Amino acid sequence: VTGWPESPGRSATVPAMRGGQAPPLDTGGIAVEHFENARRRATEMVGKLTLNEKVSQFGHEAPAVPRVGLPAFKYYGSEALHGLTREGPITSFPLPLALGCSWNRSLVERVFAAVSDEIWAWHKKDGQSLAMFSPPTVNMGTRDPRWGRIGENYSEDPYLVGQMAIYTIHGMQGHDPRYLKTIACAKHYIANDTEDDREVTSATVDSRSFWEYYSRGFEACVREGHVFTVMSSYNELNGIPTSANRFLLTDLLRDRWGFRGYVVSDCDAIGDISHTQHFVATYAEASALAVNAGGSINCGDTLQKHLGEAVEKMLISESTLDQALIRAFTGRVLLGEFDPPEQNPYSAIPISCLESPEHRQLAREAARQSIVLFKNHKNTLPLDKGRIKKIAIIGPMADVCQLGNYSGQPKLRVSPLQGIKEYLGIPSGLTYRQRASEFVQVGGGPRLQGSSEGGEDLDDIRNDSWAAFSKVL
């Protein structure tokens, strides 16, 4: 697949290119000489590997190759959408949708500089990967709350999304001319704005919408943010899977925008090219299409299982595998994996930064700047402690600290009820709260499932599903 060609039974429209020349070399914010040196070192490493050893490196978990002294790399992706998704101590910052309401780019950079500090602290504690699958999320589904993951993106406006994403990446990847602090990942590329059907659906996008709406955030991430990883999405775009689309992954991303990092697939989008989208008949063909198009790493193991067969059947050349792997290994070199720690300035980040008072204060500041007040009738806010005698906090979520999806688990968690009580310094009345685990009857398919925020939630809720609490006396 070399672009968006017409295929039998598939409609594919190639959007017209916008004017202008290809950008100068994008080295991920790294000085050109250091990027070229890292690429040379990566090339030497790949050159020492056998074909089977090369194929083993194409998954998000890459095993060690003791024969050449190559350590294992686990993982090519952890999540840090608004804080590293680990058990505390960790600081959970406001969701991107809230941060977008601040309209404050420097605040966003400060937040993600703190997030990347804590990633480094965990790296020093237990080898936590410095390569991420998020942030930033650049999908434009925020215009429609039915997307379900609306909180992951900053806005429905492509310019604001791009600006916030740029400063997110700066905070994550740092400004050192030699080393990447962490590797940020712009996802899900592209037009992935539904959830339940994204592994089987094709997004039909006209040329103007593609250039003016869907692509602008990703372009900003590459040209100005210098993001080092882009995640290809599950869905098809105008009939072609994004993870097998050479126009998206090479012609546009690299040749036009100047991307010099590596492309990772969503999990397991490479397998979906064959398994759910039926674009090709076999996993070997899907694997060859993905890497020929410009992919490097598969979240999952489809490439590790089937690239060898693809080479044997001459669906892809070993030199193409080399090129893809060199891009991924270049990222590992730029993270300082193969250098003495004292050479990397980020290795001095202390473990004590984890959920530190400074980071808690920054999270509080970010939350305050994210609040949007539509109307302050009769100057009700701020509350006057001297005049309030009683206050009712109503609703089932009043005493729950909701952190949002892809959140780590901080040790300190303050619910709205607890925060208001502490602010006013007055006792509360009756508190009654019910959690999902207290449902006594369910029907139509929902089930209890462990939540990333602790406790349990109802999952698999569909039409005609229902659940009931016990009677409250």
Side-chain angles (χ1 to χ4, degrees):
V1 181
T2 57
W4 292 0
E6 292 287 344
S7 301
R10 296 174 183 269
S11 173
T13 303
V14 180
M17 290 284 192
R18 288 192 288 175
Q21 300 297 316
L25 179 66
D26 174 358
T27 59
I30 302 295
V32 173
E33 63 270 23
H34 293 307
F35 175 83
E36 295 297 344
N37 179 61
R39 184 172 176 82
R40 176 187 57 78
R41 293 173 64 185
T43 302
E44 292 173 353
M45 293 178 197
V46 173
K48 297 177 182 179
L49 303 177
T50 66
L51 175 60
N52 288 338
E53 289 167 346
K54 292 172 186 176
V55 170
S56 74
Q57 299 297 301
F58 276 83
H60 68 283
E61 293 189 55
V65 184
R67 185 184 64 81
V68 297
L70 181 67
F73 192 68
K74 184 179 179 180
Y75 300 101
Y76 271 98
S78 297
E79 300 288 356
L81 181 69
H82 55 115
L84 184 63
T85 52
R86 295 290 298 263
E87 292 291 333
I90 204 77
T91 308
S92 182
F93 292 90
L95 279 165
L97 185 63
L99 291 172
C101 294
S102 73
W103 289 68
N104 189 334
R105 293 172 290 196
S106 62
L107 172 69
V108 167
E109 181 169 357
R110 288 168 55 207
V111 163
F112 285 99
V115 170
S116 55
D117 279 353
E118 296 199 1
I119 294 169
W120 252 98
W122 275 106
H123 176 71
K124 294 172 75 171
K125 284 185 67 172
D126 66 2
Q128 160 70 45
S129 175
L130 297 173
M132 298 292 117
F133 283 160
S134 67
T137 297
V138 197
N139 299 116
M140 299 307 300
T142 306
R143 65 179 179 171
D144 187 339
R146 292 175 298 178
W147 177 31
R149 295 174 67 167
I150 185 173
E152 292 188 34
N153 198 7
Y154 297 99
S155 172
E156 77 282 1
D157 179 82
Y159 177 76
L160 182 57
V161 167
Q163 290 297 302
M164 293 297 171
I166 289 167
Y167 284 83
T168 296
I169 296 162
H170 289 172
M172 290 291 292
Q173 295 190 169
H175 297 281
D176 188 81
R178 183 171 180 176
Y179 293 105
L180 292 170
K181 187 179 184 184
T182 64
I183 290 180
C185 179
K187 67 179 188 182
H188 310 79
Y189 183 62
I190 192 171
N192 175 188
D193 300 322
T194 63
E195 188 66 15
D196 286 350
D197 62 349
R198 59 184 178 155
E199 294 180 65
V200 297
T201 193
S202 176
T204 301
V205 181
D206 63 272
S207 180
R208 182 171 183 177
S209 297
F210 181 85
W211 292 115
E212 294 187 3
Y213 194 70
Y214 290 103
S215 69
R216 280 193 172 181
F218 288 102
E219 182 178 2
C221 286
V222 174
R223 288 186 185 266
E224 299 177 68
H226 309 297
V227 71
F228 205 79
T229 308
V230 171
M231 177 183 284
S232 60
S233 56
Y234 284 116
N235 58 288
E236 297 179 357
L237 178 66
N238 292 346
I240 298 176
T242 65
S243 295
N245 193 320
R246 185 173 178 83
F247 167 76
L248 290 175
L249 304 187
T250 296
D251 298 347
L252 181 58
L253 192 61
R254 297 189 184 280
D255 296 342
R256 186 159 189 84
W257 292 345
F259 179 62
R260 290 298 184 269
Y262 60 89
V263 173
V264 63
S265 78
D266 209 337
C267 311
D268 179 25
I270 307 302
D272 285 341
I273 296 169
S274 171
H275 177 64
T276 61
Q277 295 161 340
H278 308 295
F279 193 76
V280 291
T282 68
Y283 288 119
E285 291 174 282
S287 299
L289 277 178
V291 180
N292 279 325
S296 287
I297 298 298
N298 174 207
C299 175
D301 58 8
T302 297
L303 293 182
Q304 290 165 311
K305 288 181 177 179
H306 300 283
L307 267 181
E309 178 187 353
V311 174
E312 290 177 3
K313 292 183 175 180
M314 294 188 289
L315 300 173
I316 189 171
S317 67
E318 188 172 351
S319 62
T320 301
L321 266 61
D322 292 350
Q323 183 182 48
L325 209 54
I326 287 167
R327 290 166 177 158
F329 276 33
T330 299
R332 293 174 63 173
V333 174
L334 291 173
L335 288 173
E337 180 184 358
F338 308 105
D339 292 341
E342 59 270 17
Q343 290 186 12
N344 189 334
Y346 300 120
S347 65
I349 294 172
I351 293 176
S352 60
C353 75
L354 290 168
E355 204 179 352
S356 64
E358 294 79 12
H359 286 182
R360 287 176 178 172
Q361 178 59 36
L362 178 59
R364 185 179 297 111
E365 178 186 349
R368 286 172 174 162
Q369 292 198 31
S370 298
I371 293 171
V372 177
L373 180 63
F374 285 96
K375 186 177 182 180
N376 193 11
H377 183 63
K378 295 184 178 179
N379 293 319
T380 301
L381 299 176
L383 298 175
D384 186 345
K385 300 178 186 180
R387 298 179 59 186
I388 294 176
K389 302 301 180 184
K390 293 182 180 180
I391 186 168
I393 313 299
I394 300 169
M397 307 307 293
D399 204 19
V400 178
C401 180
Q402 284 283 1
L403 301 173
N405 59 327
Y406 285 117
S407 177
Q409 304 299 307
K411 297 293 186 183
L412 177 64
R413 302 172 70 164
V414 180
S415 70
L417 175 61
Q418 179 184 346
I420 293 172
K421 285 170 59 180
E422 291 178 358
Y423 172 75
L424 294 175
I426 58 176
S428 65
L430 176 66
T431 298
Y432 183 82
R433 62 183 181 184
Q434 291 176 308
R435 302 186 183 275
S437 58
E438 298 173 20
F439 285 125
V440 295
Q441 295 178 333
V442 294
R447 58 189 174 87
L448 289 174
Q449 178 171 294
S451 168
S452 62
E453 299 176 25
E456 294 179 303
D457 290 334
L458 278 178
D459 193 28
D460 283 349
I461 299 174
R462 304 181 184 279
N463 290 342
D464 299 322
S465 294
W466 61 273
F469 284 120
S470 59
K471 184 177 180 180
V472 180
L473 300 178

